[in-house]
Amino acid sequence: MRTVLGAPEYRDGNGFIAEVIRTSRRKTADIRVEEGAVSVIVPVSTSIEKIDQLLLSKRMWIKEKMALQRDMATASSKQFVSGEAFPYLGRNYRLKVECGPFSPAKLLQGRLVVQTPEGSQQPHMIRNALVRWYKRQASLKIREKVKRYAPIVGVEPAGVNIKTFKSRWGSCTAKGELEFNWLIMLAPNRMVDYVVIHELCHLIHHDHSPEFWREVMRVMPDYQQCREWLRENSEGLVV
């Protein structure tokens, strides 16, 4: 797992906002575009000037990647304007859009507050800010739940990672690492519990055998209701 130092930094890439992640685990820079959100992972001592030069040199590639991901993204009816509701762990929170320099989304007084510059790219930047916020919450909340339920299941995962999956909520790798789809944060809290318990149980049984389901039921007797809810509502869990 990478070591990330300090608070997040953001750079304006002229049409996109890049999150700067400084890490002691890298000797070279790396640019990633996930869900249309741009991240640049750099060694700790990398200067802002060098980061800006890198983003400028890769601007065309970044824009092409963002456009491709927008075309492939699951259709959403959201317009990313103030007043729209976004679900988080079973509750809806109204979006509040403020104009100004880009800053991370925050949950303040029952509202999801996003600050971005005005312009044609604003809806896209607002979505990026919300995706980043959901991913941060997923990283915090899911790790808390893994820590809570792992002793009950009687296992210890090798690691916990947050991913983007198209058709599943989680996975258990051959190395014993658990991976979770950040979109589960749009579901009620109990559904997140179910997904965490489900993947933890895969550390004991790597299939969906009767023994596996008995283990899930031992920890979560109402798991079938959660499983059914996700089957019926998964298509609506999009940002």
Side-chain angles (χ1 to χ4, degrees):
M1 195 174 292
R2 69 177 183 237
T3 302
V4 179
L5 305 179
E9 303 169 50
Y10 297 92
R11 304 303 297 167
D12 189 338
N14 188 16
F16 62 87
I17 299 295
E19 180 178 3
V20 179
I21 301 171
R22 297 181 183 274
T23 171
S24 59
R25 296 288 184 91
R26 291 195 68 89
K27 294 184 178 179
T28 58
D30 182 30
I31 295 177
R32 297 175 189 171
V33 183
E34 298 172 331
E35 291 286 320
V38 182
S39 301
V40 54
I41 300 95
V42 297
V44 174
S45 60
T46 308
S47 68
I48 288 297
E49 290 77 16
K50 192 168 183 179
I51 292 169
D52 287 343
Q53 287 172 4
L54 177 63
L55 292 172
L56 181 62
S57 68
K58 296 289 187 179
R59 186 172 183 273
M60 190 64 70
W61 177 84
I62 292 169
K63 297 282 281 185
E64 289 173 356
K65 195 92 168 174
M66 289 169 62
L68 180 64
Q69 291 182 8
R70 275 201 297 270
D71 292 342
M72 295 175 63
T74 303
S76 171
S77 60
K78 299 293 188 184
Q79 295 181 331
F80 303 101
V81 295
S82 290
E84 276 189 305
F86 287 84
Y88 171 61
L89 296 180
R91 286 187 58 189
N92 279 329
Y93 295 90
R94 296 287 175 182
L95 176 65
K96 183 181 180 183
V97 179
E98 297 177 345
C99 292
F102 181 86
S103 65
K106 300 179 184 69
L107 186 57
L108 296 172
Q109 298 177 334
R111 287 182 177 270
L112 274 170
V113 181
V114 178
Q115 182 174 289
T116 64
E118 283 189 286
S120 61
Q121 292 288 329
Q122 192 182 45
H124 176 62
M125 288 185 179
I126 292 168
R127 183 183 183 275
N128 283 356
L130 290 172
V131 167
R132 285 182 170 122
W133 182 82
Y134 277 112
K135 285 183 175 181
R136 284 198 304 273
Q137 299 310 307
S139 181
L140 292 170
K141 297 293 184 181
I142 289 176
R143 282 184 169 85
E144 287 175 2
K145 290 179 182 294
V146 168
K147 188 175 181 180
R148 172 186 168 192
Y149 284 111
I152 299 173
V153 177
V155 295
E156 188 172 339
V160 177
N161 298 301
I162 306 303
K163 299 276 188 176
T164 299
F165 293 123
K166 285 196 172 182
S167 58
R168 56 183 173 175
W169 295 113
S171 72
C172 175
T173 73
K175 294 181 179 179
E177 295 183 344
L178 303 184
E179 300 176 336
F180 296 96
N181 188 340
W182 62 270
L183 282 167
I184 194 63
M185 303 310 288
L186 279 71
N189 190 55
R190 192 60 174 159
M191 309 308 141
V192 187
D193 287 340
Y194 163 66
V195 170
V196 167
I197 292 166
H198 184 116
E199 298 308 328
L200 284 168
C201 288
H202 273 313
L203 291 170
I204 301 174
H205 301 286
H206 300 288
D207 52 18
H208 288 104
S209 62
E211 291 79 12
F212 167 80
W213 290 114
R214 276 198 291 272
E215 185 63 28
V216 175
M217 182 176 284
R218 178 184 71 81
V219 182
M220 189 178 203
D222 62 336
Y223 84 88
Q224 288 178 319
Q225 294 169 279
C226 299
R227 191 181 178 200
E228 193 62 32
W229 190 95
L230 285 172
R231 279 178 177 169
E232 294 176 357
N233 296 279
S234 60
E235 289 186 5
L237 301 179
V238 295
V239 175

